[in-house]
Amino acid sequence: MSRFARSDLALGALVAAAVLFGALGFAGFSDRISNSFLFVAWLLTLLTLFGLAVRLPLRGRGSRWSAWAGNTLIVCAAVGVVIAANVALYRHDVHFDATREGRNTPPPQLTDVIDGLHAPLSLTYFYNASDENALATRDMIEIAARDHPLLSFRAIDLDKEPGLARDAGVHSYNTAVLQALDRKVMVENVTDAARLGYAALRALRQRAQTICFVTGHGETFRPMRGHYHFSHVETLRGHDIRGADDVLVAEPEQLDRFQLALHEIGFAMRELVTATTDAIPSDCNVVAELGPRTALASGEADLLADYLKGGGRLMMLIDPQFPVGPDLQSRVLEPLGLSTDSAIVIDPLNHFRTDPDKVAVPYYPSHPITARLALTVFAQARPIRVSQPPATVKGTVLAASSQDSYLRPPSSAGGMMVATSGQAAGEDGRGAHPLVVALEGSFPGAEPGKTFRLVVAGTSKFATNEYFPYVSNGELSVAIARWLAEDNAAPNLAPRTYNLPEIVLTGRQMRNTFVVLEVLLPLSTALFGIGMWWRRR
């Protein structure tokens, strides 16, 4: 019995690998993984054909006509296999971007919306053929839109089809028209594919949503301005991606970045003065109380309690300097099993940079708000104490400090604040402290069928301009608003922060990085050098 040569074993391995990856391509994985397996199977098939072709003799055996017939059959079989492989590859397309900057990869804001489509969406882009940025945006949309039956994309050169542009109401270059059922959104002068993802969310929105921001207690909310001041910082990424190095210039304690993020996905916003109203207006889908500085009056606390009893949606971000007051505590928090101290959580283990009062949270429970979060920073946060909520209420601690954390009194212009309930602010209070809590259900004493949603956080800073760009703070802020509004029709996109990207590490990560790079790496190099000298001496 003849032994197999190495070339035979190599060809056999290629054939087996091609069959294996082809089978994995139809094993029920996600589309991208399955298509990647099929691409590998296609590549291995072509390598197998090349290996077989190298082994073919230059002239077949037998007569001239039999040699011609044999060669013809071989060529036809090879061409058939190549055509079949390419047809299979075309029907199971996969996109690979070999550029370091990802210049040929659509932004996740666009691909996430397209991948999550549940209703037909049409996108027409009237571009300027002489604008390189517009051509790049057109190509990005084509890459993101391929093989998605619910997305109808059409790119039109405005100079060649002015009649179509006029019929669509388009009057300027690089205008995108998105339509879902009877909802139509038009975005002018757009050469950033990420903006089209937010525009698609606005088009897919089933109804208008309004967030009413409570004012009158020192909150930093201001109605959206017609013009924002942007600066520009030269970066390498900005040369490849238009708008990537635009920086918003705004006061750090304001909410401009948060408001812009809500506006981009289609939320309307207005202020609400609870001190001058008898009931929360019916058009307020969500009520947001962010960063108050003075206590609420008794009537305002009753107003919020009645709003929750009627199935309201409330977002409360309260800083340690805010005096909770007995009315808010007894009418809103205590019935739900919540309380809070006027104290600041100090976390020596997980914190931002070298500031232990800026608690970093790297892990989260399973919840719609925390589905996409990576790391969040809570600066100068007060603890939210959670006891047993009523049977009709479901509570979830979304973020908490580490077990090494403790409390200290907050300082203010008037001196030390006094704890309003629970443990005294001056005590140690070591252990994990909840920072953000989400509750939903039926408020005690509410009518049957009225379900509320409430999110309480011990700081408002993660939603302000100063901390909104850091890590996942912006995503957390927008995700809270969307969960409260029950805006679940589209994926939770990462908001634009209009700030240069930064690498943020916790205190533990900084320590480990320092030990590896500054201690272990030089020490190992020195030890290997000494070992090499010892062997050669």
Side-chain angles (χ1 to χ4, degrees):
M1 184 175 180
S2 61
R3 299 179 61 182
F4 291 103
R6 290 185 178 179
S7 58
D8 297 329
L9 295 177
L11 286 175
L14 286 176
V15 172
V19 173
L20 174 62
F21 281 100
L24 291 175
F26 296 97
F29 293 99
S30 63
D31 290 341
R32 181 171 180 82
I33 296 177
S34 297
N35 294 343
S36 300
F37 282 139
L38 292 174
F39 172 76
V40 175
W42 170 83
L43 183 61
L44 294 174
T45 300
L46 295 186
L47 289 176
T48 303
L49 289 177
F50 177 78
L52 291 173
V54 170
R55 302 183 61 179
L56 287 176
L58 297 178
R59 175 179 172 80
R61 297 179 181 180
S63 62
R64 180 180 180 183
W65 292 107
S66 62
W68 274 97
N71 292 337
T72 303
L73 290 176
I74 292 174
V75 171
C76 292
V79 171
V81 172
V82 171
I83 292 176
N86 281 277
V87 169
L89 185 65
Y90 176 79
R91 292 173 62 87
H92 301 276
D93 193 13
V94 63
H95 173 71
F96 293 103
D97 189 354
T99 62
R100 183 184 63 181
E101 300 83 3
R103 299 183 61 180
N104 301 318
T105 299
Q109 290 88 342
L110 179 61
T111 56
D112 288 350
V113 173
I114 294 177
D115 293 339
L117 283 177
H118 299 290
L121 174 68
S122 66
L123 196 164
T124 306
Y125 187 51
F126 295 89
Y127 65 94
N128 181 3
S130 59
D131 187 346
E132 294 183 358
N133 293 320
L135 295 177
T137 302
R138 179 201 62 186
D139 296 339
M140 289 292 182
I141 303 173
E142 290 178 347
I143 293 173
R146 68 185 190 278
D147 296 334
H148 286 84
L150 293 178
L151 177 62
S152 174
F153 172 63
R154 187 180 181 187
I156 299 176
D157 187 344
L158 185 59
D159 293 325
K160 294 182 178 180
E161 300 289 349
L164 293 177
R166 183 172 56 253
D167 295 340
V170 175
H171 304 288
S172 60
Y173 287 115
N174 306 332
T175 297
V177 180
L178 301 95
Q179 186 163 1
L181 299 178
D182 58 342
R183 296 177 298 278
K184 181 178 179 181
V185 173
M186 182 180 297
V187 186
E188 296 182 342
N189 191 27
V190 54
T191 55
D192 182 4
R195 289 181 57 193
L196 296 179
Y198 301 120
L201 281 185
R202 298 197 296 272
L204 293 169
R205 188 172 299 280
Q206 298 179 358
R207 65 184 188 277
Q209 301 268 31
T210 302
I211 299 179
C212 296
F213 288 81
V214 177
T215 58
H217 314 90
E219 295 90 350
T220 58
F221 171 79
R222 300 292 182 271
M224 286 196 66
R225 296 172 288 177
H227 175 71
Y228 286 89
H229 181 208
F230 289 91
S231 181
H232 183 79
V233 180
E234 288 291 334
T235 63
L236 294 177
R237 182 175 174 82
H239 289 285
D240 300 322
I241 301 177
R242 184 180 178 89
D245 47 12
D246 290 339
V247 178
L248 176 67
V249 179
E251 295 296 328
E253 69 276 2
Q254 300 294 327
L255 302 170
D256 302 272
R257 289 187 169 93
F258 183 38
Q259 293 177 239
L260 282 173
L262 293 175
H263 175 72
E264 282 188 318
I265 60 177
F267 279 96
M269 289 157 284
R270 66 180 181 87
E271 61 180 335
L272 173 65
V273 183
T274 54
T276 60
T277 183
D278 297 330
I280 302 296
S282 58
D283 63 333
C284 292
N285 301 101
V286 176
V287 173
E289 174 65 294
L290 308 187
R293 290 295 180 266
T294 59
L296 304 182
S298 59
E300 295 177 279
D302 293 333
L303 188 69
L304 295 179
D306 293 339
Y307 175 65
L308 293 177
K309 289 180 181 179
R313 308 294 195 256
L314 179 60
M315 178 180 182
M316 292 192 65
L317 310 185
I318 51 178
D319 298 307
Q321 291 77 18
F322 169 65
V324 175
D327 294 324
L328 181 62
Q329 181 70 40
S330 61
R331 289 170 172 78
V332 177
L333 299 181
E334 285 184 357
L336 301 176
L338 300 179
S339 61
T340 181
D341 299 334
S342 289
I344 292 179
V345 179
I346 305 298
D347 196 333
L349 181 62
N350 291 330
H351 53 263
F352 176 58
R353 293 177 179 166
T354 59
D355 303 322
D357 62 340
K358 297 177 176 60
V359 182
V361 179
Y363 309 108
Y364 311 90
S366 177
H367 193 275
I369 293 177
T370 59
R372 292 173 55 94
L373 299 185
L375 176 72
T376 48
V377 176
F378 299 91
Q380 299 173 358
R382 71 192 305 159
I384 306 296
R385 301 197 177 276
V386 182
S387 60
Q388 184 65 33
T392 58
V393 177
K394 177 184 178 182
T396 304
V397 176
L398 301 182
S401 60
S402 71
Q403 293 290 341
D404 295 348
S405 62
Y406 58 92
L407 304 179
R408 71 167 174 81
S411 58
S412 63
M416 295 295 180
M417 302 291 293
V418 180
T420 58
S421 64
Q423 186 181 28
E427 296 181 11
D428 189 41
R430 288 191 176 274
H433 296 281
L435 305 175
V436 185
V437 181
L439 302 100
E440 60 179 328
S442 180
F443 198 90
E447 299 179 4
K450 299 291 186 179
T451 59
F452 77 97
R453 285 189 175 184
L454 169 66
V455 174
V456 181
T459 178
S460 65
K461 289 184 177 296
F462 66 89
T464 62
N465 294 331
E466 183 178 6
Y467 292 94
F468 187 88
Y470 291 154
V471 285
S472 296
N473 283 8
E475 294 184 57
L476 173 63
S477 306
V478 176
I480 290 175
R482 293 192 62 182
W483 180 74
L484 290 173
E486 297 187 74
D487 185 29
N488 304 320
N492 180 28
L493 301 184
R496 298 187 65 174
T497 61
Y498 299 101
N499 198 61
L500 295 182
E502 297 184 12
I503 298 177
V504 178
L505 302 176
T506 65
R508 178 189 293 179
Q509 292 170 337
M510 293 177 63
R511 183 185 66 237
N512 294 341
T513 303
F514 173 81
V515 170
V516 171
L517 296 182
E518 302 294 337
V519 179
L520 295 183
L521 185 59
L523 184 61
S524 61
T525 302
L527 291 177
F528 280 119
I530 293 174
M532 186 64 66
W533 169 79
W534 183 264
R535 288 189 60 186
R536 294 185 176 183
R537 66 185 178 89

